Amino acid sequence: LLSLVACTAQPDAMLVDTFYRGELGTARVYMQNNLSKDRNDRDYLLDRMRLGIVALGDGYPQVAGPVLDEVYDVLRTAGLNADRTVSSVVINEDQKIWKGEPFEQAMAYCYVAAHYAEIGSWDNTRAAALNSLFHLRDFGTAETGRRKNSEDLIRQAETRGNDYLDKGYVSRESNFALGYLLCAIANQQIGRIDEANDYYAHATEANPALEDLVRTFRGGKYNTVLIVDAGRGPQKTASGPDNAIATFMPLTPSDGTALRVVTSAGEADYPIVVDLNILARDHMWNNLEDVRIAKSQVGSLMMTAGAITGMYGVQNRDNTMGYVGLGLLAAGAFAKAGAHADTRYCEVMPQRVYVVPLELGPQDTTVTLQVLGNPASRMVVTGFPLEKSDTAVLRYIRLVAVRNGPAPDWATCGVIRFDNDRVPKMPAGSGPYILGGNSVRTPTEAVFDEYLRRGLYTDLTLSEFEDLYKAEGISVNPDWEANADTMPGRHLLEGGVSLIAPLGGKAGYTRIFGKTALPYAPKSELLRDYRQRLEPTPSAATWPASEPATPAEMNPER
């Protein structure tokens, strides 16, 4: 029991590894399959925050929307942990339902805002972003002039008494530049110009480096907004006596480096809007640790009392006193073990966030992004131009954050290798991927008619054409985007059975349709029989030109 109590939460290795390598589809399906359904589960909110951010980055609004809506509702729930106070004091802090540090909560509201902006709901974007601007408790600076951290507050609470944590602060407005900037953009998009200008002013007050960026936004000459996450967010760890103090350790250094963006109009550099390393070490953006410290102190006193009582019993051959001492010693050890800080945190938060206004035209089929001085962060995002809209179109993009080595080929090639539902091109002579071509469009009547006009599959009816997909277990649902209950699995090009394409202009779109894929291996007799009637002509777009496919390599058993 002591060993269980003393355990501290560790980052989810599978999630972290796949997410930061840019394999968002694998990370998304992993979180979908491991999502807690119990609203009383202590990781209920954490799981949904993870999945919402991953799905948002992968470009699947039908997954991100429902879980981010739940995050939004839970974060606004008052007294979320009211019924868990006793178990937290007796056992340890991570028995509470996880709600995140204040900076994690503010970021979560911004991801909700980004999701609404991506689906064109700027009024809901405004509402969500406003929730990120809650008031903060400011205990001032230390004697050296730096911002106080949790350890400073604990030391002062010990000398000044517990009233210090309740009354020693000043309530102040938020300094969260990202929240102000999103509020300003949303107000501008819905025509509330005066309110937009007020929030733009707050954004530059919170981060003076944004002055030029805000000037561009105020001018209104943009039709596309990119929110770009880069780097690995800080990791929450336990430190201090009995590991009772929660601290955040930077994983990606803070360096103030700009983001370079290249379009047909040229290149421009954009400043960091928010640095989570800075927020994580500022006491205003952290939860107080008074309960954990109290338990640690009680545990130490109980162990000391237990040792003294036990020794007295042994020396005087008093079994009763000996057992009492042993009980106090065990209870003290239990309390000390349970005094450790709750080290759960949202592992998919970034180290920094950029916001980019762009005026893109039909000639802009790609946008290149790179953190200056970091070639591994380079991403040539495909899927442009985006849909036409009366307001600006927003895309949230998660850059790859590999620890060592270059960026993956798909992230930098800037090529769409597969015809898809989002940006359909239908190259002349191309057929479905499952039949050796490079199209992964949903087999609708319109798509089939286009094949027939090209002289392909004239020996099939539409029903027989669809049966080939169904025999392979491939999900065929033309109305998937209108189905709120749809939760797409892994895409067909990544070993799954889904044809649902992510939004264009996203890291997920760039990955799925930019990778070089092996020829499709049929699973059913129906598809194998039909393919035998076709001459195997695998598309060059799905097989490296230096390694042409051979009949043996087309064998489905391979």
Side-chain angles (χ1 to χ4, degrees):
L1 182 60
L2 284 174
S3 66
L4 290 174
V5 172
C7 288
T8 56
Q10 298 296 321
D12 189 311
M14 173 67 177
L15 174 62
V16 169
D17 178 61
T18 55
F19 179 78
Y20 287 111
R21 284 192 290 108
E23 297 297 331
L24 301 183
T26 302
R28 172 176 57 81
V29 173
Y30 170 73
M31 286 308 305
Q32 288 174 193
N33 293 338
N34 292 277
L35 193 66
S36 170
K37 303 296 191 296
D38 181 4
R39 199 175 178 87
N40 290 317
D41 189 299
R42 65 194 186 98
D43 289 337
Y44 183 86
L45 178 62
L46 178 57
D47 283 350
R48 277 152 183 78
M49 193 181 293
R50 290 163 168 163
L51 176 55
I53 295 171
V54 173
L56 186 66
D58 204 27
Y60 285 93
Q62 66 273 39
V63 178
V67 291
L68 287 175
D69 282 344
E70 283 193 90
V71 169
Y72 190 47
D73 291 340
V74 173
L75 284 179
R76 294 187 301 164
T77 301
L80 177 64
N81 284 304
D83 60 342
R84 291 174 178 254
T85 305
V86 174
S87 64
S88 171
V89 172
V90 173
I91 304 177
N92 57 57
E93 188 69 8
D94 39 359
Q95 291 300 306
K96 286 188 175 184
I97 292 176
W98 184 90
K99 200 172 181 178
E101 303 291 334
F103 75 87
E104 292 174 299
Q105 296 175 26
M107 285 296 299
Y109 282 122
C110 287
Y111 289 119
V112 175
H115 162 69
Y116 279 122
E118 285 199 337
I119 63 175
S121 182
W122 284 103
D123 52 344
N124 282 321
T125 298
R126 173 180 175 271
L130 275 172
N131 276 279
S132 74
L133 299 174
F134 44 79
H135 278 62
L136 302 170
R137 292 176 294 187
D138 188 359
F139 287 87
T141 58
E143 294 179 359
T144 58
R146 62 167 175 78
R147 296 290 300 164
K148 289 180 181 177
N149 56 29
S150 296
E151 294 182 24
D152 295 325
L153 300 189
I154 290 166
R155 284 195 295 268
Q156 293 195 338
E158 290 176 347
T159 58
R160 301 186 186 184
N162 288 332
D163 284 349
Y164 173 73
L165 297 178
D166 297 326
K167 302 177 181 179
Y169 64 86
V170 174
S171 179
R172 59 165 289 179
E173 290 186 348
S174 177
N175 62 351
F176 189 48
L178 179 60
Y180 286 120
L181 191 57
L182 289 180
C183 274
I185 297 169
N187 277 292
Q188 189 176 36
Q189 293 306 308
I190 60 178
R192 303 171 69 113
I193 304 303
D194 290 342
E195 195 170 345
N197 287 331
D198 288 342
Y199 282 110
Y200 280 133
H202 282 300
T204 53
E205 183 181 352
N207 183 354
L210 303 183
E211 185 174 343
D212 289 341
L213 177 66
V214 164
R215 187 178 299 113
T216 300
F217 271 114
R218 283 181 187 269
K221 293 184 178 181
Y222 65 93
N223 59 11
T224 305
V225 179
L226 304 182
I227 297 177
V228 183
D229 278 1
R232 296 172 179 243
Q235 179 176 344
K236 193 174 185 181
T237 60
S239 64
D242 301 325
N243 285 328
I245 303 172
T247 57
F248 280 87
M249 176 180 69
L251 298 180
T252 297
S254 298
D255 53 21
T257 308
L259 178 75
R260 176 153 295 172
V261 181
V262 182
T263 66
S264 63
E267 62 182 36
D269 296 340
Y270 296 88
I272 297 173
V273 174
V274 64
D275 182 334
L276 267 66
N277 286 345
I278 295 175
L279 296 188
R281 64 173 176 257
D282 190 329
H283 70 268
M284 289 198 307
W285 289 102
N286 283 268
N287 292 317
L288 300 178
E289 305 296 334
D290 51 327
V291 174
R292 286 184 286 272
I293 292 300
K295 286 186 301 186
S296 177
Q297 293 170 336
V298 169
S300 299
L301 292 173
M302 289 178 70
M303 289 189 73
T304 302
I308 295 172
T309 304
M311 286 299 295
Y312 176 85
V314 169
Q315 292 174 356
N316 293 277
R317 298 186 177 183
D318 186 336
N319 290 338
T320 300
M321 292 296 289
Y323 288 134
V324 170
L326 182 60
L328 286 171
L329 190 62
F334 186 85
K336 283 177 68 64
H340 69 259
D342 182 359
T343 56
R344 291 173 294 167
Y345 72 107
C346 188
E347 305 97 320
V348 293
M349 290 284 180
Q351 180 263 322
R352 64 186 69 180
V353 182
Y354 301 93
V355 180
V356 179
L358 297 174
E359 183 76 30
L360 298 181
Q363 73 279 8
D364 290 294
T365 58
T366 64
V367 174
T368 300
L369 309 169
Q370 182 183 327
V371 177
L372 291 177
N374 182 8
S377 69
R378 179 180 174 83
M379 183 176 290
V380 183
V381 185
T382 59
F384 297 97
L386 303 177
E387 63 273 14
K388 292 183 180 179
S389 172
D390 294 334
T391 57
V393 178
L394 183 140
R395 287 294 183 265
Y396 162 72
I397 299 172
R398 196 20 163 127
L399 299 183
V400 175
V402 292
R403 287 188 181 275
N404 298 298
D409 291 341
W410 61 260
T412 58
C413 69
V415 175
I416 301 174
R417 303 182 190 276
F418 295 92
D419 184 35
N420 61 84
D421 289 329
R422 288 292 185 188
V423 187
K425 298 194 175 193
M426 192 67 77
S430 173
Y433 172 59
I434 66 171
L435 293 176
N438 61 352
S439 175
V440 286
R441 293 176 69 179
T442 303
T444 62
E445 183 176 1
V447 170
F448 183 63
D449 287 345
E450 193 163 350
Y451 287 139
L452 293 180
R453 285 195 296 271
R454 295 175 183 274
L456 300 174
Y457 320 119
T458 55
D459 58 336
L460 292 177
T461 65
L462 173 60
S463 178
E464 290 170 335
F465 184 63
E466 292 176 338
D467 286 343
L468 294 176
Y469 286 84
K470 293 175 183 177
E472 293 296 293
I474 297 171
S475 178
V476 180
N477 179 11
D479 299 322
W480 58 264
E481 200 161 18
N483 184 356
D485 296 328
T486 299
M487 187 156 296
R490 190 174 284 109
H491 195 275
L492 182 65
L493 293 172
E494 298 188 306
V497 296
S498 174
L499 291 175
I500 299 176
L503 294 175
K506 303 283 287 185
Y509 185 96
T510 303
R511 182 193 75 254
I512 290 175
F513 303 123
K515 278 185 177 180
T516 300
L518 292 174
Y520 183 78
K523 304 178 183 67
S524 68
E525 288 294 335
L526 185 64
L527 184 59
R528 277 194 287 268
D529 290 344
Y530 185 73
R531 286 186 60 154
Q532 286 178 1
R533 289 151 50 189
L534 299 174
E535 182 180 353
T537 54
S539 168
T542 61
W543 193 269
S546 59
E547 300 180 23
T550 65
E553 289 167 330
M554 292 293 291
N555 189 312
E557 291 184 0
R558 176 182 176 90

